[in-house]
Amino acid sequence: MSSTVSVFIANQPAEQAAWKASSAAIMSEQGATIYLGTNEADNLRKVQKAGRQLDTMGIKSVQLAGEGWDLERQWAFSNGFTDTLTKNTIQWADDADKLTQMRDTAAWVRELINLPPNEIYPESLAQKVTDKLTAVAPNAITVTQIVGDELVKHGRMGIHTVGRASKKPPVMLVVDYNPGQDANAAIDAVLIGKGITFDSGGYSIKSSEGMLAMKCDMGGAATVAGALVHAIHQGLNKRVQLVLCCAENLIDGSAYKLGDIITYKNGQTVEIVNTDAEGRLVLADGLIYAGEVNAKLIIDAATLTGAAQVAVGTDYNALFSVDDELAQKTLNIAHEQRELLWRLPLNNWHKDNCPSAFADTANSRPQKGGGSGGASNAAGFLLRFAPNEGAGWLHFDIAGAYHGSANALWPTGATALGFRTIAASLLK
């Protein structure tokens, strides 16, 4: 008996009386067949569901056989035929080198996000990302880490404030990818990732069930790091910097409190009304840095708000920008990359939607989840720190980054959704 199951696709209706119409893959002696219709978006979802079906049946090795397997159909199948620990193997029908690289990068992103919080903490996250990028481009990488109280000396007050209560010190990681090795080369883009390696909520503490998956709160950092890895593999020849804002949001006698005021390096003051709105506090330091180095393009990614999930679910990521032309280009890129992305509202006046009587702004509204429009208000907070009044800046609230349980499309855990779109944006 073969140790590998062949998987075919066919373009005619299935006539298998023994199988339910809801079955994405129909099994026979020759293997599995996926019957497709005329709508390609629906076809890709069905192919991904077929991958999940075969994984849940206990199949661990497949060969994509026959005609009709273009790159996107193979990638959709790969996303479905992936258990949480990425142990399944695929023999590709075509484009094997590119698909293997994509699957390996996605597996690395998922592994980072899925690691338990006793293994992934600010310094270990920074080191794992450093090791990966150094291995991919050893002659083009320079790394700077600012750790613990050194953050105060550098004025990175958001990262330090959020992370100071943990025994694992907070870290700001800057990875400089400079393929021309010209120290004076302009920085084409800065990628900023929220790297909250565990989020208790601080004194605005989460419930036990709400805290269980909070190892995934560094999903933004993993996603932008994976995007840079993928872009380098695809031939990126521009200078790009990766900035990861890493901290554990925990509680002890030194933890930041409701009513505290943070003064940032650019002079802006922020009153804390919710210690569980910590992601925007650390990202502000990254945005200030991006302005200091005059980056042309700035992209941040974060598992920032539950409100984004309420708006778009977990099949999509949410996009915010006040740069309409750039936002539309990015939505087009996401469509090309077959990653679901939806733009949510952001206007200049969103900067003022979290008012404070004691500081320039509060970090949220003093309501559960930040109240109505919470995702836009969080983006509005970030807009305060984005250079050039937000021109050239994109904010990804990655609502689809993690699933607490398996579903018809994804295994339990991280998805890596978004890394292809961000990588393609760098290459464009």
Side-chain angles (χ1 to χ4, degrees):
M1 182 176 179
S2 173
S3 59
T4 299
V5 174
S6 295
V7 183
F8 303 87
I9 55 177
N11 292 319
Q12 65 268 12
E15 295 181 1
Q16 299 286 342
W19 288 84
K20 294 179 179 179
S22 59
S23 296
I26 306 298
M27 304 301 296
S28 66
E29 291 184 0
Q30 68 174 350
T33 302
I34 308 166
Y35 291 94
L36 302 181
T38 57
N39 184 299
E40 188 58 15
D42 291 343
N43 287 341
L44 292 175
R45 285 181 68 85
K46 189 172 185 180
V47 169
Q48 186 166 344
K49 288 179 179 180
R52 290 297 312 130
Q53 179 184 330
L54 297 183
D55 176 69
T56 57
M57 290 171 65
I59 295 169
K60 63 181 182 180
S61 179
V62 300
Q63 176 183 8
L64 305 184
E67 301 295 326
W69 285 107
D70 63 15
L71 185 142
E72 293 301 340
R73 289 176 177 180
Q74 291 181 85
W75 182 244
F77 183 89
S78 172
N79 283 329
F81 190 64
T82 302
D83 65 359
T84 299
L85 301 179
T86 319
K87 299 188 297 293
N88 296 343
T89 61
I90 300 174
Q91 295 179 34
W92 308 104
D94 199 2
D95 297 306
D97 289 345
K98 183 173 183 178
L99 284 160
T100 297
Q101 179 266 307
M102 288 167 60
R103 186 169 169 88
D104 288 348
T105 300
W108 179 71
V109 172
R110 288 173 176 143
E111 179 187 23
L112 281 182
I113 299 172
N114 288 335
L115 281 172
N118 59 314
E119 292 186 32
I120 198 76
Y121 46 89
E123 287 178 302
S124 70
L125 173 59
Q127 193 59 52
K128 287 178 185 295
V129 170
T130 296
D131 291 346
K132 180 70 170 180
L133 283 162
T134 301
V136 172
N139 298 319
I141 294 293
T142 304
V143 176
T144 302
Q145 291 191 34
I146 307 172
V147 183
D149 291 341
E150 288 294 313
L151 289 160
V152 177
K153 296 180 182 179
H154 288 264
R156 310 306 180 190
M157 299 308 300
I159 301 170
H160 183 267
T161 297
V162 172
R164 71 191 184 204
S166 173
K167 291 183 178 180
K168 305 289 189 182
V171 177
M172 183 175 184
L173 172 71
V174 179
V175 178
D176 186 359
Y177 172 70
N178 190 355
Q181 301 182 47
D182 177 5
N184 296 316
I187 296 171
D188 193 78
V190 170
L191 303 179
I192 305 167
K194 174 186 172 184
I196 302 297
T197 57
F198 188 78
D199 182 18
S200 72
Y203 279 112
S204 305
I205 194 165
K206 295 178 182 289
S207 65
S208 179
E209 58 272 20
M211 204 185 300
L212 178 60
M214 282 300 102
K215 63 183 182 181
C216 82
D217 215 15
M218 40 64 67
T223 300
V224 290
L228 182 54
V229 169
H230 185 49
I232 292 171
H233 277 301
Q234 298 301 307
L236 180 67
N237 59 5
K238 305 170 185 176
R239 188 177 184 185
V240 175
Q241 292 193 345
L242 174 73
V243 179
L244 302 189
C245 307
C246 309
E248 287 186 326
N249 187 21
L250 300 182
I251 305 170
D252 75 356
S254 68
Y256 73 122
K257 305 173 291 297
L258 280 75
D260 283 357
I261 293 178
I262 303 174
T263 301
Y264 280 87
K265 190 175 182 180
N266 65 357
Q268 290 203 62
T269 56
V270 176
E271 181 190 6
I272 304 303
V273 302
N274 185 348
T275 61
D276 198 22
E278 84 297 330
R280 65 202 72 177
L281 298 176
V282 302
L283 289 175
D285 282 328
L287 290 167
I288 291 170
Y289 174 86
E292 291 169 352
V293 299
N294 297 313
K296 302 173 187 175
L297 173 67
I298 303 168
I299 300 175
D300 76 68
T303 49
L304 201 65
T305 65
Q309 281 195 345
V310 172
V312 301
T314 56
D315 289 321
Y316 283 78
N317 286 332
L319 176 69
F320 297 85
S321 181
V322 290
D323 189 328
D324 291 337
E325 182 179 356
L326 178 61
Q328 188 56 54
K329 288 180 179 178
T330 305
L331 291 170
N332 293 341
I333 289 170
H335 180 73
E336 292 169 2
Q337 298 297 315
R338 297 291 184 174
E339 289 191 321
L340 296 176
L341 182 66
W342 197 264
R343 189 180 182 188
L344 291 182
L346 179 61
N347 278 282
N348 192 59
W349 46 262
H350 279 104
K351 293 189 297 185
D352 301 317
N353 271 13
C354 297
S356 167
F358 304 99
D360 295 327
T361 186
N363 71 323
S364 184
R365 289 177 174 175
Q367 301 165 259
K368 181 176 177 60
S372 61
S376 293
N377 293 339
F381 177 92
L382 296 178
L383 179 57
R384 286 178 161 270
F385 296 88
N388 305 316
E389 298 182 341
W393 167 63
L394 299 167
H395 165 52
F396 286 75
D397 197 331
I398 49 175
Y402 188 90
H403 296 279
S405 58
N407 59 32
L409 292 170
W410 300 98
T412 301
T415 65
L417 181 68
F419 86 92
R420 289 184 64 189
T421 297
I422 295 172
S425 298
L426 297 179
L427 294 165
K428 293 281 187 179

